[in-house]
Amino acid sequence: MSADEAAYFLKLFRGARYAALEDAENFREICFVLEEFGCHLNGNNAKSLRRYGSLLRSFANQKRRQEFSVMFDMVVDARNEASHRGVFARNLAGKSVRLSIILEESLLSMTVQVRHIMSESVIFAEDFYTLAKVRELMLENSFSYIPVVLSDKYYFISDSLVARKWQDFVGDDKAKYNTRISQLFSVEELLKAEEILSRAPKSEAYLKVGHLPLLVFNGRHENRKVVGILSPFDLL
C-alpha cells in the first residue's frame, strides 16, 4: 500500500472516529470505513463486513491482533441489532473507536510526509472578530489554539488567553461583543506560529512540533498558502 493510500484511509478512519465520539449512534460510520478498507485490501467487494475480518486483522499490529479480533466480532454481531441507543450505543461506539485506533496505528506508520497526516481544514480567527466570536469558535471545535494573521504575520491565540480576557471583561459586553481582537490583543500576548512545508518528511514534524500546532504551507514562494495544520495530536 502506498503512502498516499494509507493517508486516504487514515483520514477516513479519523473522521469516522470523531463522528462516533461526538454521537455514539454514529458508530456505523466506522463500520462503513472498515468495509471500504476491507474491499480495498481484498481487491473486490465481498458484500459483507464479516468477510473482511481476517484481512483487517492481518493489517493490524501483531500485538493488537487478538484485541482487534474480539472487538471486531462484537461490533459485527451487534451492528444489526434493532436498538442502538443509550448505554448500548455508547458501548458499541467505544468498541468501534478501538477498532479504528488499532488500524490507524498501522496506517500512520506507512505515511511519510506532513501532507499525509495534517488536518486540511484550518479555521482562522480574523482580525475583525470579537472576543466572543473567538471564544465561540474555540468551544465549538474544542480548540486549544486558533491561528490569526496580524500585520501579515502568523500567530496563535491560546484558550488560556481568551479565558483571561473574558474574565477581565466581566460585565463589559462592549469589549466582549463589539471590539475587534486586533484592538484587544497585543502581539506580545500572542504566540508566534511555527511553520512547516506540506512535503516535508514526517520525521521533521516530530522534531519540530511542540505544545503549539504547526501551520503547514505549500511552499516558500511569495504566493504561498496555508494548506493545513498539524498538532501533536495528529502525530499520535
Side-chain angles (χ1 to χ4, degrees):
M1 180 177 293
S2 71
D4 285 343
E5 289 173 306
Y8 169 77
F9 283 105
L10 178 62
K11 288 173 183 176
L12 285 187
F13 274 115
R14 283 179 171 176
R17 174 163 55 84
Y18 295 151
L21 290 170
E22 183 176 340
D23 184 344
E25 293 188 43
N26 285 334
F27 78 91
R28 291 184 183 85
E29 296 297 322
I30 294 177
C31 294
F32 294 148
V33 179
L34 285 168
E35 286 181 321
E36 182 177 346
F37 188 45
C39 181
H40 182 77
L41 293 175
N42 193 45
N44 58 68
N45 190 349
K47 299 181 180 180
S48 170
L49 176 56
R50 191 182 297 277
R51 291 177 181 173
Y52 299 128
S54 59
L55 268 176
L56 294 170
R57 180 182 183 276
S58 65
F59 191 84
N61 182 293
Q62 188 171 0
K63 293 182 179 180
R64 309 290 292 276
R65 287 178 184 173
Q66 182 59 35
E67 178 187 5
F68 183 90
S69 294
V70 173
M71 295 287 182
F72 181 81
D73 289 341
M74 288 181 177
V75 169
V76 173
D77 289 341
R79 183 184 184 187
N80 296 321
E81 290 288 335
S83 175
H84 291 134
R85 295 196 175 94
V87 174
F88 182 79
R90 289 192 293 275
N91 185 270
L92 190 53
K95 290 180 173 60
S96 301
V97 165
R98 291 287 295 172
L99 290 177
S100 182
I101 289 173
I102 290 171
L103 294 180
E104 286 174 47
E105 179 184 348
S106 296
L107 289 166
L108 180 63
S109 70
M110 300 176 70
T111 59
V112 295
Q113 293 182 331
V114 168
R115 65 187 178 90
H116 291 142
I117 54 176
M118 69 183 187
S119 298
E120 295 177 0
S121 299
V122 186
I123 299 175
F124 273 85
E126 302 292 343
D127 62 356
F128 59 84
Y129 283 2
T130 64
L131 182 65
K133 179 63 176 179
V134 174
R135 177 178 178 271
E136 178 184 308
L137 284 174
M138 288 187 142
L139 291 174
E140 286 178 347
N141 296 281
S142 298
F143 288 158
S144 295
Y145 304 95
I146 188 167
V148 63
V149 180
L150 296 176
S151 302
D152 295 325
K153 294 184 179 179
Y154 292 88
Y155 299 94
F156 279 109
I157 302 171
S158 68
D159 52 2
S160 58
L161 176 59
V162 172
R164 288 198 304 271
K165 289 285 187 182
W166 193 261
Q167 180 61 32
D168 289 344
F169 297 130
V170 168
D172 188 349
D173 285 349
K174 181 179 179 181
K176 289 180 179 179
Y177 293 94
N178 300 108
T179 308
R180 293 173 173 236
I181 58 173
S182 57
Q183 297 172 301
L184 291 178
F185 298 143
S186 68
V187 293
E188 290 77 19
E189 293 178 295
L190 303 178
L191 301 165
K192 188 176 182 297
E194 293 290 333
E195 304 175 5
I196 195 167
L197 296 180
S198 61
R199 293 190 176 274
K202 188 173 65 174
S203 57
E204 182 179 328
Y206 281 104
L207 293 173
K208 198 168 187 178
V209 75
H211 66 282
L212 286 177
L214 299 172
L215 287 181
V216 185
F217 286 82
N218 62 351
R220 294 190 175 92
H221 49 84
E222 183 179 351
N223 298 317
R224 67 186 186 143
K225 295 180 180 178
V226 174
V227 293
I229 189 168
L230 186 71
S231 72
F233 194 75
D234 295 316
L235 295 167
L236 291 178

